[in-house]
């Protein structure tokens, strides 16, 4: 499958997750692992970063630090620059994680 296919698939996944509410960015990377696109984690993160930036730029969502497992907003909105930090794509085991919150 091509990167365009992967990007279209991931965009739809992100939109579906947003319809359900707040979610952790790590879910996008995990979804890519299970979708068999053959991307490395670094490639999946780069792709997910582009998808998230587009959603934020068009006003569909904002980036926040959220708690686990309640997904309650702790801090934010955060700047898109946090998408460049590898820890933003982890599960937040040692504290809050970075999440995408649907725009109100």
């Amino acid at each position: 499958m091509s990167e365009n296919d992967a990007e279209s698939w991931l965009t739809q996944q992100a939109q579906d997750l947003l319809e359900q509410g707040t979610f952790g960015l790590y879910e996008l990377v995990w979804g890519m692992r299970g979708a068999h696109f053959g991307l490395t984690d670094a490639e999946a993160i780069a792709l997910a970063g582009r998808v998230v930036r587009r959603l934020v730029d068009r006003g569909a969502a904002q980036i926040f630090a959220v708690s686990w497992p309640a997904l309650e907003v702790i801090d934010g909105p955060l700047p898109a620059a946090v998408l460049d930090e590898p820890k933003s794509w982890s599960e937040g085991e040692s504290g809050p994680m970075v999440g995408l919150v649907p725009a109100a």
Side-chain angles (χ1 to χ4, degrees), residues 26 45 82-92 96-98:
Y26 76 90
I45 288 169
V82 302
L83 301 175
D84 298 328
E85 299 173 19
K87 68 180 181 180
S88 295
W89 300 94
S90 72
E91 299 85 356
M97 67 179 170
V98 178

Side-chain angles (χ1 to χ4, degrees), residues 4 9 19 33 41-42 46 55 64 69 72 78 90 97-98 102:
N4 287 338
W9 181 87
E19 286 178 12
R33 288 178 188 152
D41 278 356
L55 290 170
F64 286 87
E72 294 175 355
L78 303 175
S90 72
M97 67 179 170
V98 178

Side-chain angles (χ1 to χ4, degrees), residues 28-52:
L28 298 176
V29 177
W30 281 21
M32 292 299 293
R33 288 178 188 152
H36 307 293
F37 287 106
L39 300 177
T40 66
D41 278 356
E43 291 168 332
I45 288 169
L47 177 61
R50 289 194 304 271
V51 168
V52 169

